[in-house]
Amino acid sequence: DLLHGDITFALRDLDDPVVVRSDGSFTFLLPNAVDDALDGITHALRGDDHLTNSAYQVWMLQQLGYTPPHYLHHGLLLGQNGAKLSKRSGSHSVAELREAGLLPGALVQAMARLGHPNISDEADRIDKLVAAFDAERVATGAVRWSDDEMWRWHTRLLHALDVDALLPLIRPHLPAGDAEQLRRFAALVGQNIERAEDVTHYLRLLDIEAPLGEEALTVLREAGADFFRLAAELWQALDAPNWQDWLAALKARSGLKGKALFMPLRVALSGAMHGPAMSDLVEFLGGDALLARMNDAKRRSEA
């Protein structure tokens, strides 16, 4: 075995394996071994729960005149709950992960690193994974699958996409709009989402009528109508309005600071409790859209 070294089984200790069931269908043992032989498979990597199966298969292949492949039996792959990973224990199909929007590269990263902790995070492409792989360093102990690790890689790869690659992924979650505006929107929020559907948190940037969550509405109500009235007046009073000057003027007039000052503005502009830099939000919206959202926030705070 390429990982465990020499492994010896005494034939007298092995029972006669069942290769054909009573209904005429084959079990795993014989077809799997013959398929590998006919397909020219030279190396077979699988969990160490197959060690005994390998003993049977090596013997059968030798009797049939075939050369067995080189085997590497790694530690057993477990689900997040510690049980053997299987469909019955909640493992995922590729189709399900694709439907969930997972980037293919994230699945590759998560799988390549299972039981191979020596691969660094810098190996963010397949060619780097191939270069970093070392069969002799694969874990012999059981390893657990992690959905969180897979989705962590999804977020990292998502953030690495350029706007042209990101936009088709988020487009199904966006309202109809000007193509250039949607590109600018993708560039604005791309680093603030973990999954494509997270763009729905920022729909107020595109549609002032987008629904607000209860937490966001609470922020607007606590700020009060006078706050947003003052914010609109100060924006209009500035000669060349920008985020920093607007914030400074509003801080001086309202006496507010910190979260109490900027959080109502963030929610009023974007509808979200966190996200892109406020200066970027202001630049994206422009003066007219900004004032419209201040007036809308005033109305909502009074509701």
Side-chain angles (χ1 to χ4, degrees):
D1 185 276
L2 294 178
L3 188 60
H4 296 274
D6 291 335
I7 299 176
T8 302
F9 285 83
L11 287 176
R12 63 177 177 272
D13 294 332
L14 301 177
D15 57 11
D16 291 330
V18 176
V19 294
V20 182
R21 301 183 184 90
S22 58
D23 63 2
S25 62
F26 283 89
T27 64
F28 160 85
L29 284 174
L30 183 59
N32 173 261
V34 173
D35 281 349
D36 283 352
L38 295 180
D39 288 341
I41 299 300
T42 59
H43 294 71
L45 282 67
R46 57 192 186 187
D48 58 14
D49 55 328
H50 281 288
L51 270 172
T52 303
N53 288 336
S54 296
Y56 286 124
Q57 290 181 319
V58 167
W59 181 82
M60 287 190 289
L61 289 172
Q62 289 172 340
Q63 305 312 304
L64 294 170
Y66 296 118
T67 300
H70 296 288
Y71 288 103
L72 185 153
H73 290 85
H74 54 73
L76 190 62
L77 178 56
L78 306 178
Q80 296 187 104
N81 60 359
K84 181 179 177 181
L85 191 64
S86 67
K87 288 184 178 180
R88 283 182 296 241
S89 66
S91 66
H92 312 290
S93 71
V94 172
E96 289 170 342
L97 294 174
R98 185 186 298 115
E99 181 67 21
L102 184 77
L103 291 173
L107 180 58
V108 171
Q109 288 288 343
M111 293 178 66
R113 295 165 188 279
L114 280 172
H116 205 310
N118 298 292
I119 300 179
S120 75
D121 279 0
E122 298 306 312
D124 54 359
R125 301 196 312 264
I126 289 181
D127 59 331
K128 293 182 179 180
L129 287 174
V130 171
F133 179 79
D134 183 354
E136 294 183 357
R137 294 195 173 195
V138 174
T140 56
V143 294
R144 289 196 184 196
W145 173 260
S146 171
D147 282 356
D148 290 342
E149 182 71 6
M150 176 181 67
W151 284 106
R152 183 182 73 83
W153 271 102
H154 171 86
T155 299
R156 176 172 172 169
L157 297 176
L158 190 71
H159 288 173
L161 296 177
D162 61 28
V163 173
D164 291 329
L166 176 62
L167 189 53
L169 300 179
I170 66 175
R171 189 66 187 83
H173 305 286
L174 301 179
D178 175 74
E180 182 56 30
Q181 184 191 35
L182 294 181
R183 286 189 87 259
R184 291 177 59 230
F185 175 82
L188 176 67
V189 305
Q191 296 299 308
N192 298 100
I193 61 175
E194 296 183 355
R195 303 192 189 187
E197 60 268 28
D198 290 346
V199 295
T200 57
H201 301 323
Y202 306 104
L203 290 184
R204 184 171 169 82
L205 290 167
L206 298 172
D207 179 9
I208 197 171
E209 298 299 328
L212 293 177
E214 191 56 40
E215 187 178 12
L217 289 172
T218 298
V219 169
L220 299 185
R221 292 173 186 140
E222 289 179 349
D226 288 342
F227 175 86
F228 297 109
R229 183 184 300 108
L230 177 61
E233 291 174 357
L234 292 176
W235 177 269
Q236 293 173 302
L238 293 171
D239 292 333
N242 60 70
W243 162 246
Q244 292 297 339
D245 291 344
W246 185 39
L247 184 67
L250 187 55
K251 179 179 180 180
R253 287 285 299 276
S254 68
L256 298 173
K257 60 182 180 179
K259 188 175 181 180
L261 175 63
F262 70 79
M263 186 58 73
L265 298 175
R266 175 176 290 284
V267 171
L269 296 182
S270 71
M273 304 292 292
H274 55 80
M278 290 296 295
S279 56
D280 294 335
L281 294 178
V282 169
E283 182 180 356
F284 173 81
L285 288 169
D288 291 343
L290 180 147
L291 288 173
R293 280 155 180 76
M294 289 301 104
N295 291 327
D296 180 74
K298 172 180 169 294
R299 177 183 62 81
R300 291 176 183 258
S301 67
E302 294 172 327

